[in-house]
Amino acid sequence: MTRLRLLARLVGASLWSRRLAISLVALAVAVSTILFLSVERLRTGAWESFASTISGTDLIVGGRSGGVQLMLYSVFRIGNATNDISWESVEDIVALDDVDWIVPLSLGDSHRGYRVVATADAYFERYRYGRGLSLEIEQGARFDDLFDVVLGAEVARALDYEIGDRIVIAHGLGAAGLVRHDDLPFTVSGILARTGTPADHSLHISLEAMTAIHVDWASGARAAHTTPAEVLRARAAEGDLAPNSVTALLVGTTSRIAVFRTARAINEYPEEPLLAVLPGVALQELWSVVGTAERALAAVSAMVVLTAVVGLVATLLATLEQRRREIAVLRALGARPGIVAGLLVVESGLVALVGVLVGLLTVLAATPVAGAWLRATYGLDLPVGLSLREALVLSGIVVSAVLAGLLPAWRAYRIGLSDGLGGGG
């Protein structure tokens, strides 16, 4: 106990005598901790946001292609479908015993570079993202008229649209548009709350509206005669504008067990080649392709931790040369080499511990504020607590600092009285 008490007093006195330099070292460790935790949480948040782009949907169904391609065009609005699904096939899928609900999606048109998604009213109720969150109308309402359009938050912000504005949809994709449906303009009826998903970058219309604007089209060209909007509204009221086909389906099943049974039935559907994929599996496969940024962030996290430990050791070694006389005096007063070496090891671990705690408390205090901003701006959900991985890494920083302190401790152990009190000191 006497030796430990002496060591504690020596550590306290030594740290206090060099409080400015030690504070800067602890601050460097704290900054490294903040950087590590920030990068780690952004990395985790990016993956969780990507993985939860769509939730609550058991299957995504499209024309026979690949799972990644189906996920890209149906959920992320990237690329094009190889084949559509006929409406007769949609009705057959709805009739399956294990199917609870479906949400059809029809793609192919655009507005100033943003995708137009034709869908049913159930889309706003069934589409889930994040931790089971549903789409919310921030302004206005859903479809009331045949030619109503609901905008994603980013579309409304980027194009400065408000409720009541009239817009024209273009046939085909691309920022310039191909041929515009200017004879049948749409009115902005609603604007969605920001979600951080592809819904923010989409315009949503009804399936009947998609059919209506293509009534007078054939082979990608508009006929000379155009049907008046009022006639199309009357036909829609009579149920005469059902689509001939859709691009994809979001499907919910009656139970988890029924998912695989339904997927097999759809994949073996004899009338036309279809593909049913589980969103989670397709997202994992897609992330393995596009997850380079996540791996880069993980590498940055490792480098930040390494930098913190190396910086601490470098600082201890640099100050060791300045403390040769102090160490020699301690030896002259009777301190054993082991006490001197232990002094440096304890100092190294204590400085790292203080830096880690300061960094951790800073991040925990800032996470709710930063998380709210990231959630509103980019749709990223940051973890609130401390994960097991983070706790292990932070503990590893302290343990590494203690182990790293053995190098200057070994050098201090070898310092003799003549080294510190002689002319070389």
Side-chain angles (χ1 to χ4, degrees), residues 13 32 38-39 65 98 114 117 122 125 173 189 209 213 265 273 296 298 306 315 322 371 418 424:
S32 298
S38 300
V39 170
S65 57
D98 295 322
Y114 293 97
V117 180
E125 301 170 359
L173 307 176
S189 65
I213 61 178
L306 181 62
T315 302
Q322 303 171 4
S418 59

Side-chain angles (χ1 to χ4, degrees), residues 71-317:
M71 179 64 65
L72 282 174
Y73 70 72
S74 63
V75 175
F76 293 95
R77 326 284 196 242
I78 299 174
N80 299 301
T82 54
N83 294 293
D84 286 343
I85 307 172
S86 69
W87 193 248
E88 290 77 11
S89 298
V90 173
E91 293 175 334
D92 288 343
I93 293 173
V94 172
L96 293 175
D97 293 337
D98 295 322
V99 171
D100 186 25
W101 55 266
I102 70 160
V103 174
L105 304 174
S106 187
L107 307 170
D109 285 4
S110 64
H111 174 72
R112 298 177 64 177
Y114 293 97
R115 291 289 189 113
V116 173
V117 180
T119 186
D121 205 50
Y123 173 83
F124 301 100
E125 301 170 359
R126 296 295 186 179
Y127 183 88
R128 294 286 192 274
Y129 68 98
R131 297 180 177 90
L133 300 175
S134 59
L135 298 176
E136 294 182 3
I137 303 290
E138 188 173 56
Q139 300 178 43
R142 302 179 189 176
F143 315 130
D144 183 36
D145 182 73
L146 176 64
F147 297 106
D148 281 346
V149 57
V150 176
L151 306 181
E154 182 59 25
V155 176
R157 185 203 65 80
L159 303 181
D160 196 25
Y161 284 149
E162 298 178 351
I163 301 299
D165 287 349
R166 293 169 72 82
I167 67 173
V168 173
I169 290 175
H171 185 75
L173 307 176
L178 299 177
V179 182
R180 290 154 53 92
H181 298 282
D182 47 14
D183 57 324
L184 296 171
F186 283 74
T187 301
V188 177
S189 65
I191 298 175
L192 294 173
R194 186 172 293 277
T195 64
T197 70
D200 293 344
H201 301 264
S202 304
L203 299 87
H204 305 85
I205 64 175
S206 66
L207 287 170
E208 293 79 9
M210 180 66 85
T211 303
I213 61 178
H214 293 98
V215 162
D216 301 310
W217 286 65
S219 302
R222 186 168 56 193
H225 168 75
T226 58
T227 304
E230 291 306 319
V231 174
L232 294 172
R233 287 188 177 95
R235 290 180 59 181
E238 296 173 359
D240 191 32
L241 289 179
N244 294 320
S245 62
V246 295
T247 307
L249 298 175
L250 307 182
V251 178
T253 58
T254 55
S255 66
R256 290 295 181 186
I257 299 177
V259 172
F260 300 98
R261 192 162 51 233
T262 304
R264 183 171 62 252
I266 294 173
N267 289 328
E268 297 174 354
Y269 184 65
E271 301 301 323
E272 63 176 311
L274 298 178
L275 175 67
V277 299
L278 279 69
V281 175
L283 283 170
Q284 282 281 4
E285 185 178 354
L286 180 57
W287 185 256
S288 66
V289 177
V290 302
T292 303
E294 190 262 354
R295 292 188 289 272
L297 286 175
V300 170
S301 296
M303 292 303 297
V304 165
V305 173
L306 181 62
T307 300
V309 176
V310 171
L312 180 59
V313 175
T315 302
L316 290 174
L317 286 173

